[in-house]
């Protein structure tokens, strides 16, 4: 397969094993793919500060999609462009006020690399501290001044449906929201119309690689649009059923080198 392909990689549950590392086998296949002229990039829900480690490990020089499409840039080429589409701060504060009518553990707002916690939370602080962000704790109605890249509501499983229903009823025109995978009962909110596919389209146009030559891997509902956009939408063996149903193909799990094995076969790269 001589044509140049764009390979888009989700991180958690896809490229990364359960211990949050990249297997040596998959890393070697990705290196061979790049040497063969294919373009490798990351598309993740994570902020850049907690995905930079993997970007550097793979020695990438490509754009990266963060916050599920709400932020995109090229760390290796600052002239490439800087795309940031945050949620309107007024909408974010309206959601914070509405949450007072529901039970929730915490609300976290991220403004690229600044993190705002509604309540102090040691466990979540540990998760969000990767990359040493500036952290502010206090009622978001007072402390949040800038439009957030994303808003996260940490709640109990039995509250998820009710909160998401409220968000759909009141804010459907201006936000999109998704749930994280278990064990975290988290609702993630970004500006409407954004997805990893939006970032992938920018990269596709920049590299002049049409969608039919894009290979995208994912496992969760924040990968749906990206897998639908790509000519080769590949679900991980450990992915949720919704992802497997819309994918063109299903590969092995993230623990079984699903990404590497699929690429080695499709692109004729020797393991």
């Amino acid at each position: 397969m001589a044509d140049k392909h764009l390979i888009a990689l989700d991180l958690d549950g896809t490229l990364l094993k359960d211990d949050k590392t990249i297997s040596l086998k998959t890393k070697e296949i990705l290196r061979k793919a790049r040497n063969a002229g294919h373009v490798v990039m990351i598309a993740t829900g994570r902020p850049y500060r907690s995905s930079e480690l993997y970007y550097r490990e793979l020695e990438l020089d490509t754009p990266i999609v963060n916050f599920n499409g709400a932020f995109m840039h090229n760390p290796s080429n600052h002239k490439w462009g800087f795309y940031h589409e945050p949620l309107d701060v007024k909408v974010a504060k309206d959601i914070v006020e509405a949450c007072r009518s529901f039970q929730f553990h915490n609300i976290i707002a991220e403004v690229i690399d600044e993190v705002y916690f509604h309540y102090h939370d040691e466990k979540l602080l540990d998760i969000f501290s990767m990359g040493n962000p500036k952290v502010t704790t206090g009622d978001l109605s007072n402390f949040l001044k800038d439009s957030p890249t994303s808003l996260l509501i940490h709640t109990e499983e039995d509250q998820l449906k009710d909160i998401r229903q409220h968000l759909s009823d009141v804010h459907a025109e201006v936000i999109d929201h998704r749930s994280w995978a278990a064990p975290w009962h988290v609702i993630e909110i970004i500006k409407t119309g954004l997805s990893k596919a939006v970032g992938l389209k920018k990269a596709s146009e920049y590299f002049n690689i049409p969608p039919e030559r894009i290979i995208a891997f994912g496992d969760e509902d924040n990968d749906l649009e990206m897998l639908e956009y790509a000519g080769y939408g590949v679900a991980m063996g450990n992915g949720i059923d919704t992802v497997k149903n819309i994918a063109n193909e299903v590969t092995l799990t993230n623990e079984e080198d699903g990404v590497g094995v699929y690429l080695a076969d499709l692109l004729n790269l020797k393991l």
Side-chain angles (χ1 to χ4, degrees):
M1 188 172 284
D3 287 334
K4 182 163 75 170
H5 287 70
L6 176 59
I7 301 164
L9 305 166
D10 168 53
L11 289 178
D12 299 283
T14 300
L15 175 66
L16 303 184
K17 297 193 299 177
D18 292 344
D19 64 1
K20 304 302 179 186
T21 64
I22 305 171
S23 80
L24 294 176
K25 185 178 184 180
T26 290
K27 196 185 328 187
E28 177 62 13
I29 288 297
L30 289 170
R31 186 188 67 79
K32 288 184 175 181
R34 292 180 67 219
N35 288 345
H38 304 293
V39 178
V40 175
M41 66 179 287
I42 291 169
T44 178
R46 290 182 179 220
Y48 177 63
R49 66 177 184 278
S50 64
S51 46
E52 181 181 10
L53 165 73
Y54 306 109
Y55 185 91
R56 302 296 176 199
E57 183 178 350
L58 293 175
E59 300 180 329
L60 300 182
D61 56 4
T62 45
I64 181 169
V65 178
N66 292 110
F67 291 108
N68 292 319
F71 179 51
M72 186 178 186
H73 76 306
N74 187 333
S76 302
N77 179 5
H78 296 298
K79 293 179 180 177
W80 187 82
F82 183 90
Y83 301 94
H84 183 216
E85 295 197 50
L87 190 67
D88 184 272
V89 68
K90 184 181 181 303
V91 172
K93 290 190 175 187
D94 284 347
I95 293 170
V96 171
E97 288 303 318
C99 281
R100 300 186 201 277
S101 302
F102 299 94
Q103 290 180 319
F104 67 93
H105 296 302
N106 215 336
I107 307 174
I108 304 101
E110 295 189 76
V111 184
I112 303 185
D113 284 329
E114 294 182 12
V115 183
Y116 295 80
F117 287 90
H118 193 70
Y119 299 125
H120 181 79
D121 188 324
E122 287 293 335
K123 196 172 181 182
L124 285 176
L125 269 170
D126 190 49
I127 292 170
F128 284 86
S129 64
M130 195 172 188
N132 296 316
K134 179 185 174 186
V135 175
T136 302
T137 302
D139 191 317
L140 295 185
S141 296
N142 301 323
F143 285 91
L144 185 61
K145 306 297 183 189
D146 297 315
S147 294
T149 316
S150 77
L151 196 67
L152 305 173
I153 303 169
H154 181 210
T155 184
E156 284 295 332
E157 187 172 13
D158 62 357
Q159 293 286 301
L160 269 178
K161 187 178 179 183
D162 290 343
I163 296 175
R164 292 193 71 179
Q165 187 60 55
H166 170 82
L167 293 172
S168 295
D169 290 345
V170 179
H171 299 291
E173 293 183 3
V174 289
I175 68 165
D176 285 335
H177 54 92
R178 297 184 171 90
S179 298
W180 282 13
W184 290 102
H185 303 301
V186 170
I187 301 165
E188 178 176 307
I189 304 164
I190 57 174
K191 182 180 175 183
T192 190
L194 296 177
S195 69
K196 293 181 182 182
V198 172
L200 208 52
K201 185 172 185 292
K202 285 187 176 76
S204 168
E205 292 167 352
Y206 176 77
F207 290 110
N208 197 26
I209 297 175
E212 55 265 31
R213 292 210 308 272
I214 296 176
I215 311 163
F217 296 89
D219 70 311
E220 279 291 336
D221 66 354
N222 64 337
D223 298 310
L224 288 168
E225 295 91 346
M226 175 171 78
L227 266 58
E228 285 186 305
Y229 180 75
Y232 299 84
V234 186
M236 303 302 293
N238 52 286
I240 61 173
D241 289 343
T242 318
V243 170
K244 290 178 178 177
N245 290 339
I246 67 103
N248 301 107
E249 294 186 62
V250 178
T251 186
L252 299 173
T253 72
N254 62 322
E255 287 288 310
E256 300 169 312
D257 292 297
V259 169
V261 169
Y262 184 89
L263 289 174
D265 181 54
L266 182 71
L267 303 176
N268 297 317
L269 303 167
K270 289 181 181 175
L271 287 167

